[in-house]
Amino acid sequence: MNRYDATNNRLRRGQLVLLDGAIGTEIVRRGVRWRQHGLRSDADKVQAVHEDYIRAGADVITTDTFQLTRRTYLNLFHNLEHMRRIGAPGLEHQAAELTRRAVAVARNAIATAAVNRPVAIAGSVAPLNHCFRPDLSPPYEEALREHAESVTLLKDAGVDLILFETMNNLSEAKAALQAGRETGLPLWVSFVLAPGGRKILSGEPLGAAARLAEEMGCDALLFNCAPPEDISVGLEELLNRSKIPLGAYAHIGRYDPPSWKFEFHPQFTDTESWPPERYAESAKRWRELGATIIGGCCGTTPAHIRAIRELVR
């Protein structure tokens, strides 16, 4: 039995699967400068974050690859020729190198944590441009090509499933999922919700998002990167309507730019208003609304995942 088989068996039985919490904001909270995803200079600290989530009870950990793509680097230059002329050596291939390192760090964390249960590795894939700007999403064929590059790197590096997270419109989500299907790996897809929780951020219906996930053969449909109360509304909207398992992982606090850029990571302030015990109460409500997969998004910590485990499981 591989690592994902155990997770999938829990899903099929309707048992709770604990996803990890935030990676990027947690790395920054621990004092790591957000550059190269912390993977070149502080891989030990990234690994420690994974280990802490595993020991807190996570059944699935996500790779430190959120928006780690060739596009992330190219967006800073006029074009590829310009990047090669004035950019640091190796930028063209840095996303591939760091993706392989991120998966290796996750694998090492599982081995080091040495818990007596299988822990699966989800390869994190995000929208190609800004997560909160569905209007910036590239055309379908362009998105298909670039997502195919990301998922192939993750598969070759050894992830157990692909998690397309914070997807903000149906067109790019479909392109990403089509690319994911070509890998043969299990797929989860998570959408960021519009304010109020009744639509995805592009304004498209939740029902359409659910149909897309089902048609593309996803093992699970999740909602993330929205406040806990919006996540609850989204789950209520799909209560008894989804043919596949549902999941939820909210951000806490308030978004405080700068944004997902070369030298920065998004900050979420006022997170103290959502201590672990309060967040776990929301998670308990999500469970009542049918969520099988529960974790944390930006601003959450291993303490939040531990609180969910203790209250909900």
Side-chain angles (χ1 to χ4, degrees):
M1 178 182 292
N2 65 33
R3 289 185 297 248
Y4 183 71
D5 285 341
T7 298
N8 197 36
N9 287 340
R10 295 184 67 86
L11 288 180
R12 291 179 183 277
R13 293 195 297 264
Q15 296 176 324
L16 178 64
V17 172
L18 270 180
L19 187 61
D20 60 5
I23 302 298
T25 56
E26 181 64 5
I27 293 168
V28 172
R29 191 179 72 86
R30 297 186 186 199
V32 175
R33 184 185 179 207
W34 186 253
R35 185 178 182 183
Q36 299 165 332
H37 281 58
L39 289 164
R40 182 158 290 173
S41 58
D42 295 282
D44 57 332
K45 295 180 181 178
V46 177
Q47 181 173 324
V49 170
H50 288 315
E51 290 176 25
D52 288 348
Y53 279 123
I54 293 168
R55 295 188 180 108
D59 302 302
V60 179
I61 58 172
T62 53
T63 57
D64 181 23
T65 53
F66 193 89
Q67 289 200 320
L68 180 54
T69 65
R70 189 198 307 264
R71 177 182 284 253
T72 300
Y73 296 91
L74 275 172
N75 276 348
L76 300 166
F77 299 90
H78 180 60
N79 53 30
L80 181 58
E81 180 183 358
H82 182 232
M83 183 176 78
R84 288 171 176 169
R85 181 171 180 80
I86 73 165
L91 288 184
E92 185 175 348
H93 307 290
Q94 194 160 121
E97 174 197 337
L98 294 178
T99 295
R100 289 188 288 268
R101 184 170 298 194
V103 178
V105 165
R107 294 171 69 94
N108 290 342
I110 293 173
T112 303
V115 293
N116 189 28
R117 69 178 193 280
V119 177
I121 299 174
S124 170
V125 179
L128 291 167
N129 287 317
H130 201 292
C131 301
F132 295 154
R133 292 288 305 275
D135 55 305
L136 299 181
S137 186
Y140 180 87
E141 292 298 332
E142 188 176 327
L144 176 63
R145 182 174 62 253
E146 295 188 37
H147 281 300
E149 182 176 349
S150 294
V151 296
T152 299
L153 284 167
L154 287 165
K155 178 184 179 180
D156 291 347
V159 301
D160 302 302
L161 68 147
I162 303 293
L163 171 57
F164 296 103
E165 53 181 343
T166 325
M167 303 308 290
N168 55 36
N169 70 84
L170 296 183
S171 176
E172 184 172 352
K174 184 175 181 179
L177 288 168
Q178 181 59 46
R181 288 176 67 173
E182 297 300 318
T183 67
L185 289 172
L187 308 177
W188 293 1
V189 61
S190 187
F191 288 91
V192 58
L193 297 173
R198 300 189 184 280
K199 298 179 179 180
I200 65 173
L201 194 55
S202 61
E204 294 165 294
L206 297 186
R211 286 192 296 275
L212 175 65
E214 293 161 7
E215 291 167 0
M216 299 302 287
C218 295
D219 283 357
L221 166 67
L222 303 89
F223 301 132
N224 79 299
C225 218
E229 55 270 26
D230 288 354
I231 298 288
S232 296
V233 172
L235 290 172
E236 288 173 357
E237 287 287 304
L238 288 187
L239 186 63
N240 300 322
R241 292 174 56 195
S242 176
K243 298 177 182 178
I244 59 177
L246 296 174
Y249 54 119
H251 74 58
I252 58 174
R254 292 186 175 274
Y255 178 49
D256 184 16
S259 184
W260 284 266
K261 300 291 185 183
F262 193 57
E263 290 285 349
F264 302 107
H265 189 274
Q267 301 295 308
F268 278 75
T269 59
D270 302 324
T271 56
E272 64 276 2
S273 63
W274 281 93
E277 295 75 17
R278 183 186 180 195
Y279 188 83
E281 288 291 343
S282 288
K284 183 179 179 182
R285 176 59 179 156
W286 301 337
R287 187 73 171 126
E288 293 167 353
L289 290 169
T292 307
I293 305 164
I294 297 177
C297 200
C298 300
T300 60
T301 71
H304 291 82
I305 302 307
R306 184 175 295 106
I308 296 171
R309 182 194 66 192
E310 294 173 354
L311 181 64
V312 180
R313 179 169 287 178

